[in-house]
Amino acid sequence: MTDENNTLDAIGLLCPLPVLKARKRLKSLEPGAVLTLLADDPAAIVDVPHFCAEAGHEFLGVDEATDHQIYRLRKSI
């Protein structure tokens, strides 16, 4: 089950906006919280895991939906 408060809809936004918005949302979350990021930017498949690695967050994976991807990120502790 997805917590709607921890879901960020970045569908329609192009690089670097999905990552920038994810960074901003993660700042407001408690350590260990999981952010679900919805995005359809083709660059996000590279950008999101890279952002997690650089910022120290855990990249939990990506799932494909019909017209977008669903990324899951755990905020660093």
Side-chain angles (χ1 to χ4, degrees), residues 11 37-42 44-45 62-65 67-71:
I11 296 172
L37 172 65
L38 312 178
D40 59 356
D41 177 16
I45 196 73
V62 60
D63 291 312
E64 289 289 330
D67 58 352
H68 64 279
Q69 294 79 43
I70 304 164
Y71 299 90

Side-chain angles (χ1 to χ4, degrees), residues 11-72:
I11 296 172
L13 300 179
L14 297 177
C15 177
L17 289 175
V19 166
L20 293 176
K21 289 188 174 287
R23 180 184 337 171
K24 183 175 181 181
R25 178 67 67 86
L26 282 166
K27 285 182 182 180
S28 70
L29 299 179
E30 294 293 321
V34 174
L35 174 66
T36 300
L37 172 65
L38 312 178
D40 59 356
D41 177 16
I45 196 73
V46 174
D47 292 346
V48 173
H50 179 73
F51 159 70
C52 288
E54 291 293 310
H57 302 300
E58 183 180 358
F59 179 65
L60 300 175
V62 60
D63 291 312
E64 289 289 330
T66 304
D67 58 352
H68 64 279
Q69 294 79 43
I70 304 164
Y71 299 90
R72 293 177 40 81

